Amino acid sequence: MPDLPSSTTVLDSILFRDAFGTPAMREVFSDLALVSRYAEVEVALAKAEARCGVIPAEAAEEIARRTDVAALDFDLLRQETDVVGYPILPLVHQMTKQCGEAGRYVHWGATTQDIMDTAVVLQIRAAFQLIEADIAVLRDILADLSRRHRDTPMAGRTHLQQALPVTFGYKTAIWLSMFDRHAERLEQLKPRVLVGQFAGAAGTLASLGDKGLDVQRALCEELGLGVPAATWHVARDGFAEAVNFLALVTGTLGKIALDIMLMASTEFAELYEPFVKGRGASSTMPQKRNPISSELMLAAAKGVRQQAGLMLDAMVQDFERATGPWHAEWMAIPESFVLTAGALHQAKFALGGLVVDTKKMAGNLDISRGLIVAEAVMMGLAPAIGRQEAHDVVYDACRLANDKGMTLADALSADPRVAERIDRPTIERLTSPKNYLGLAPDMVDRVLASMKR
C-alpha cells in the first residue's frame, strides 16, 4: 500500500495545514530548516573563532566547505536525539565526520543551548519578515476600506445593542490603528529579540578565557545579530515578548473576525467574506455562506493566546540552566508563528475582498425609527425649549414611538411643546441618523494621516 497521510496536528495535516498556516512559515520552522540553522550557527562559530585566533583559520575554512546538511543521516539524527534529549550532540557527531581533521574544532567552547537558542533567533528573524510583510498588506487593505467608507453610516453597537450612529470607515480605521501599533511594536522589539546566544556551559564563557567576549561578538557579526549584554540562557523575556507580540496581532485579528461574523449573520447581513464557489458551504443547507476565514482567524487567536501563556510560564526557570521550561518553548514558538501566519493569510483574503452592503447598513440604522439619535434630538431641542424640558419631551416621544410603532419624528411632531417651536423639516433633520455621526469621519482622517509607511 502507498504511504497514507499520518500527521497528527493541524499545523502539518494534509487537510488543515493551509487553513491554519502557510507554506512559507512552515518552511521557516521545518525540521530541515531548523537543522540547517544549527549547522549555520556551528559554521559561523568556527569562522568567528578563527577570526579571534581561537582555532586555525584552515580548520574554519574546512568546516564551512565540508558541512553538508543535505548529506546528514536524519534517521540517525532522530534516533540519537531521542537518546541524548537534544539534537546538537548528534549533529556535531555527523559534522565532525564530514569535516575530517578539522572536525575536532566543531562546537569549540559552545554549549548545546548556545547553538539551539541562536538558531531559533535566526528562525524568528525570518518569520518576522513574513509577519511584517503581511501586516503591511493588511494596513493597505484597511486604509483603503477606511477611505472608501469614511462617510458610510451604520449603527454603532454597545453591549450588542444599537447605541449611536458611526461610519463603517470609522470601524475599519480602529482596526487599522491597531495594526499601525503592531508594526511599530515589531520594529521596537527586534533589537531586544534578535540577539545571539554564546556563553558556554554556565554562561560565563570560561572555556575560552579572555577570548570569550571577542568570539561572542564575532559570532553575532557573522550572523547579523545583536550582541547580548549578558547571557540569556535563563532570561527568556525576549522569546516571551516575541510570542506575546503574536498574541497581540492575532488578538486584533480575532476582534476583527468576531465583528465580521456578527455582521455577516442573517439578521445583520451587513458584511460578507469574498464569494468563492463552495467556500463556507454546508453539507445539508445549500443556502449557507459561512464566514470560514473569520472562524479560522478566531481559532488561531485562541491558540496563540494559549502559547503566549505557556511562554510566560516558561520564563520561570531554575538557576543557570532550566530543567523543563526551555523545552516548552520548542512547542510554543513554532506553533505560534505558524498560526499567526495562517490567521494573517485568512485576514488578507477576507478583508481584501470584503463585500460591504451599505444599503443594509442604512436599513439597519433606520430600524429604530430614529430612536438611535434621541440624544441628538434632545441636544437639538435644548436651545429652543431648555435642556431639562428637552430631555422630558424626547423621553415622552420615545415612549410614544415605542408604544405606537411610530417614528421619533412623528412622535415629536405630535407633541405641541415641539410642534409650536420647531418645524417638521428641522425635526426630520434632527432625527436622521446620518446627521449625527459625530467626529467619526474626522477620526478616520486622523488615522490615515498618522499611518506610518
Side-chain angles (χ1 to χ4, degrees):
M1 288 183 63
D3 290 337
L4 297 176
S6 58
S7 298
T8 57
T9 74
V10 295
L11 301 187
D12 296 313
S13 165
I14 194 171
L15 299 177
F16 301 117
R17 64 189 179 199
D18 289 332
F20 285 97
T22 63
M25 191 63 82
R26 286 197 303 274
E27 172 59 27
V28 169
F29 290 97
S30 69
D31 282 338
L32 177 59
L34 180 58
V35 174
S36 297
R37 293 299 192 186
Y38 293 155
E40 180 182 353
V41 178
E42 293 284 9
V43 169
L45 176 59
K47 291 180 179 179
E49 290 177 329
R51 284 170 52 187
C52 296
V54 175
I55 69 172
E58 298 80 8
E61 291 171 4
E62 280 293 287
I63 292 169
R65 184 176 66 84
R66 299 176 66 169
T67 296
D68 184 0
V69 173
L72 294 173
D73 184 337
F74 274 83
D75 194 53
L76 178 60
L77 194 59
R78 175 190 59 79
Q79 294 173 24
E80 291 189 354
T81 297
D82 189 46
V83 173
V84 176
Y86 307 97
I88 301 305
L89 184 57
L91 174 63
V92 170
H93 286 161
Q94 294 195 45
M95 284 183 63
T96 298
K97 292 179 181 178
Q98 284 185 346
C99 297
E101 183 64 23
R104 60 196 176 112
Y105 292 106
V106 172
H107 199 68
W108 193 270
T111 192
T112 288
Q113 190 170 347
D114 289 338
I115 307 303
M116 293 184 68
D117 279 351
T118 305
V120 172
V121 171
L122 295 176
Q123 286 183 305
I124 289 175
R125 182 172 65 184
F128 275 163
Q129 291 173 351
L130 298 176
I131 298 294
E132 188 171 36
D134 282 344
I135 287 176
V137 171
L138 268 182
R139 291 171 71 199
D140 285 340
I141 291 171
L142 290 170
D144 181 62
L145 283 169
S146 300
R147 289 189 197 96
R148 285 193 286 123
H149 295 285
R150 175 188 184 273
D151 302 304
T152 301
M154 63 172 292
R157 299 173 175 101
T158 63
H159 302 275
L160 291 179
Q161 308 294 309
Q162 288 199 3
L164 289 174
V166 297
T167 70
F168 183 59
Y170 165 80
K171 180 184 288 289
T172 58
I174 290 175
W175 299 347
L176 171 59
S177 69
M178 287 190 277
F179 274 104
D180 286 347
R181 290 189 291 274
H182 293 327
E184 185 178 10
R185 288 184 181 105
L186 181 52
E187 281 305 305
Q188 292 171 345
L189 67 82
K190 285 179 184 177
R192 295 190 291 269
V193 176
L194 302 182
V195 175
Q197 177 87 283
F198 180 70
T204 63
L205 286 168
S207 65
L208 295 182
D210 62 358
K211 298 282 190 178
L213 292 178
D214 292 337
V215 171
Q216 182 189 77
R217 185 179 304 105
L219 171 63
C220 291
E221 288 174 356
E222 287 283 340
L223 297 170
L225 298 175
V227 180
T231 302
W232 50 279
H233 285 157
V234 288
R236 313 307 286 182
D237 55 293
F239 283 175
E241 181 179 11
V243 174
N244 277 269
F245 164 73
L246 300 180
L248 291 174
V249 171
T250 53
T252 295
L253 294 175
K255 185 273 184 291
I256 293 172
L258 184 58
D259 276 3
I260 292 174
M261 287 188 288
L262 288 172
M263 295 171 72
S265 64
T266 305
E267 289 74 15
F268 286 99
E270 295 174 339
L271 294 180
Y272 296 99
E273 291 185 0
F275 175 75
V276 175
K277 187 175 181 179
R279 185 168 178 80
S282 166
S283 62
T284 57
M285 296 171 283
Q287 83 280 9
K288 294 294 291 297
R289 185 172 166 183
N290 297 323
I292 296 300
S293 288
S294 296
E295 293 174 6
L296 291 168
M297 289 157 61
L298 186 59
K302 293 176 182 293
V304 176
R305 183 176 67 221
Q306 295 300 314
Q307 299 299 350
L310 180 58
M311 289 298 294
L312 294 176
D313 191 278
M315 290 180 67
V316 185
Q317 304 207 359
D318 48 290
F319 298 121
E320 282 63 58
R321 192 66 65 83
T323 52
W326 181 42
H327 302 65
E329 297 176 353
W330 307 354
M331 298 181 282
I333 292 174
E335 181 168 330
S336 298
F337 273 99
V338 173
L339 286 173
T340 301
L344 286 166
H345 172 72
Q346 298 296 338
K348 288 188 298 181
F349 170 78
L351 293 169
L354 194 66
V355 179
V356 182
D357 191 334
T358 58
K359 290 183 179 179
K360 189 63 176 179
M361 287 180 175
N364 287 340
L365 188 55
D366 288 336
I367 62 174
S368 71
R369 305 180 307 280
L371 294 177
I372 193 172
V373 288
E375 177 189 74
V377 175
M378 182 186 73
M379 297 307 294
L381 291 175
I385 64 176
R387 195 242 177 238
Q388 187 57 48
E389 185 176 0
H391 174 275
D392 295 340
V393 165
V394 175
Y395 179 80
D396 292 341
C398 288
R399 291 187 61 186
L400 178 64
N402 278 325
D403 291 344
K404 303 296 185 181
M406 303 167 61
T407 66
L408 181 57
D410 288 340
L412 288 167
S413 295
D415 190 324
R417 293 173 295 179
V418 177
E420 292 173 1
R421 294 181 173 91
I422 302 175
D423 59 24
R424 179 69 187 211
T426 301
I427 293 174
E428 292 285 354
R429 178 179 57 79
L430 289 174
T431 56
S432 174
K434 64 178 179 290
N435 292 327
Y436 197 62
L437 298 174
L439 296 175
D442 301 84
M443 291 185 188
V444 174
D445 295 339
R446 287 209 309 181
V447 171
L448 292 172
S450 67
M451 185 180 172
K452 298 182 180 64
R453 295 188 179 277

